[in-house]
Amino acid sequence: MSVMSFSIPRTIYYGEGALEKLSLLKGKKAALVTGGSSMKKFGFLDQAEALLKKAGISSILIDGVEPNPSVETVMRGAKEMLAFEPDWIVAIGGGSALDAAKVMWCFYEHPEISFESIIEPGSMPPLRNKARFIAIPSTSGTASEITAFSVITDTKSHIKYPIVSPDMVPDIAILDPNIPMTMPAHITANTGMDVMAHAVEAIASVAATSFTDPYAIEAMRLVLENLPTAYKEPKNIVAREKMHEASALAGMAFTNASLGLVHSMAHKVGGEFGVTHGLSNAILLPYVIAYNRKVSDKYAYAEKLLGIKDISVEIQRLNKEMDIPLTFKDCTEVDFSEEKFLAVLDRMSEHAFEDPCTLTNPGAPTVADVKMIFEAAYYGKAIK
Ligand code: NDP
Ligand code: MN
């Protein structure tokens, strides 16, 4: 085996009240980055500001990061950072706020470079000459608080760019279950199934190792045991805490082992139909597992460790419990007409085949295989 690396945040604070750790920070100035209004509305932003003040740190607020953050938003934030000169960047919110803050950080450290120059994986210059980074997630799904990834959208070309750099792995992640507690039920369901997809794909990835498997297995166990409760009882702090931790653990696995066809295909269904990321993953998972099972013994390995018979059956049980349809045909979130599906099927299959996540899927799926899986997941057909 060639030389590999494993990177995660230096410190992860977790458990109820973990946000309080902000008051122990050493520094002078912080840029707080957040999304729309949720963190303000539920009081977490004010709490964070007060805790930083207690640490003797003055802060500015960079807010208004939109879902699927844009290059413009990133550049606006970097400019504000350049004027204020923070030594900490504190991102609090969903994956969108965290992702945007990571790339703002890059342009704060390197104002002379362009967005185009960081698109190639690994091309980002070193960070941490000016500031360090704290991530406080408010959703339990993307694991941006752990990962070396950020997804930024070019609004002119409508292209979503996955930016990859090990330097973007945050210094500190704070997992306080009080924060995701205010997520609405459908976001809990979709982001929770995204966690399952991260874990299942990291396990089956051709880049999976003994460093990544344990995190993925534990994440799967936590999702199976806690997601339906977090969905049905939004104020259940134990279920919220376990899901928040599952998300981070799955992140530790997939940021180092990468993903597979579920994500390749979900990215393209998202692009063509606008269907939510976690929802596409939830629908695709059983079909991709059925396809991959022919070439991978990793599902059997996970099932043995988890004491379950069939992970696909468990996933479909979760989907049913959370009112997630089992096929794209039955998905009412967007217009999934057969006519439109057939019209884009070939293009979508080619694009999914070319997605970087396909590279780590077990076996060597062809465009025809991807098309067959899309058809199975649309109509609910068995995988050949
Ligand atoms: P978003 O950050 O886009 O947030 C979705 C919505 O949920 C927003 O309206 C937000 O409101 C609201 N919200 C967030 N937290 C809460 C809360 N605790 N209570 C109530 N409402 C809340 O969602 P995700 O976390 O799913 O992130 C998606 C983004 O992450 C996408 O851009 C995706 O491409 C990216 N991504 C990044 C990965 C990575 O490794 N970096 C991996 C996978 C996806 P408001 O804006 O008002 O706060
Ligand atoms: Mn995902």
Side-chain angles (χ1 to χ4, degrees):
M1 196 177 75
S2 54
V3 176
M4 300 183 76
S5 67
F6 183 84
S7 304
I8 56 173
R10 184 179 169 96
T11 308
I12 300 172
Y13 294 112
Y14 52 97
E16 205 180 346
L19 187 64
E20 305 273 331
K21 291 289 175 188
L22 279 180
S23 69
L24 302 178
L25 225 56
K26 304 259 178 290
K28 291 194 179 73
K29 292 188 200 177
L32 268 165
V33 181
T34 194
S37 55
S38 73
M39 293 299 98
K40 178 78 187 161
K41 182 172 153 198
F42 297 112
F44 301 120
L45 197 61
D46 291 344
Q47 275 181 46
E49 255 166 329
L51 290 161
L52 289 169
K53 202 170 166 196
K54 204 169 153 191
I57 298 175
S58 60
S59 53
I60 54 159
L61 178 63
I62 301 173
D63 61 359
V65 173
E66 68 278 39
N68 303 315
S70 65
V71 178
E72 290 76 25
T73 296
V74 164
M75 293 305 179
R76 167 174 65 85
K79 218 170 141 189
E80 292 189 42
M81 288 177 186
L82 278 166
F84 184 67
E85 301 192 322
D87 44 20
W88 281 105
I89 292 162
V90 182
I92 180 166
S96 296
L98 272 48
D99 278 9
K102 285 175 167 175
V103 182
M104 287 175 191
W105 182 25
C106 167
F107 293 114
Y108 165 49
E109 300 249 350
H110 303 281
E112 72 288 353
I113 66 174
S114 67
F115 183 73
E116 288 68 37
S117 76
I118 62 162
I119 293 172
E120 182 72 22
S123 63
M124 188 181 286
L127 304 179
R128 296 178 176 76
N129 292 314
K130 294 181 178 173
R132 283 180 289 160
F133 193 99
I134 301 183
I136 310 169
S138 68
T139 54
S140 309
T142 72
S144 181
E145 73 277 12
I146 303 293
T147 70
F149 309 132
S150 166
V151 185
I152 303 298
T153 301
D154 181 338
T155 38
K156 283 181 213 99
S157 62
H158 301 284
I159 297 176
K160 272 186 134 184
Y161 288 102
I163 308 294
V164 189
S165 167
D167 265 45
M168 281 194 307
V169 173
D171 295 279
I172 299 174
I174 296 183
L175 309 176
D176 191 327
N178 283 321
I179 306 181
M181 193 113 97
T182 54
M183 262 193 298
H186 70 283
I187 301 187
T188 302
N190 294 339
T191 52
M193 288 312 289
D194 193 20
V195 175
M196 179 58 98
H198 294 156
V200 169
E201 296 223 278
I203 280 276
S205 162
V206 298
T209 70
S210 299
F211 280 80
T212 58
D213 279 354
Y215 295 108
I217 294 279
E218 182 65 358
M220 287 164 80
R221 189 180 70 79
L222 291 174
V223 174
L224 288 174
E225 288 178 6
N226 297 283
L227 181 55
T229 311
Y231 175 75
K232 288 173 198 152
E233 302 167 29
K235 296 290 165 204
N236 186 314
I237 188 79
V238 176
R240 289 296 194 184
E241 181 170 83
K242 297 297 174 201
M243 279 310 299
H244 218 35
E245 293 175 6
S247 171
L249 292 164
M252 288 157 72
F254 88 81
T255 190
N256 292 289
S258 192
L259 297 163
L261 268 186
V262 172
H263 273 77
S264 304
M265 296 173 69
H267 292 155
K268 306 313 158 192
V269 176
E272 295 285 355
F273 293 91
V275 56
T276 309
H277 177 67
L279 186 60
S280 331
N281 284 341
I283 295 172
L284 283 162
L285 264 168
Y287 301 98
V288 173
I289 294 172
Y291 171 80
N292 284 348
R293 216 183 255 283
K294 291 181 273 183
V295 292
S296 172
D297 55 9
K298 290 301 286 290
Y299 304 107
Y301 161 82
E303 284 153 354
K304 192 171 162 214
L305 287 172
L306 292 166
I308 57 173
K309 271 214 183 78
D310 185 338
I311 185 64
S312 291
V313 171
E314 299 294 328
I315 288 168
Q316 292 196 321
R317 171 181 64 81
L318 290 184
N319 285 349
K320 276 186 207 135
E321 281 189 58
M322 298 188 297
D323 307 309
I324 292 176
L326 302 182
T327 62
F328 285 123
K329 158 173 79 52
D330 295 325
C331 181
T332 52
E333 192 198 35
V334 293
D335 172 24
F336 244 119
S337 71
E338 186 178 25
E339 197 186 354
K340 178 161 182 202
F341 173 72
L342 292 174
V344 299
L345 179 58
D346 283 326
R347 180 174 69 207
M348 221 166 47
S349 305
E350 274 164 39
H351 289 175
F353 172 77
E354 286 159 10
D355 188 281
C357 291
T358 306
L359 292 171
T360 39
N361 193 81
T366 62
V367 178
D369 294 333
V370 176
K371 184 175 172 181
M372 181 270 293
I373 302 170
F374 264 135
E375 284 171 329
Y378 185 84
Y379 297 105
K381 289 195 291 202
I383 292 287
K384 283 172 252 159

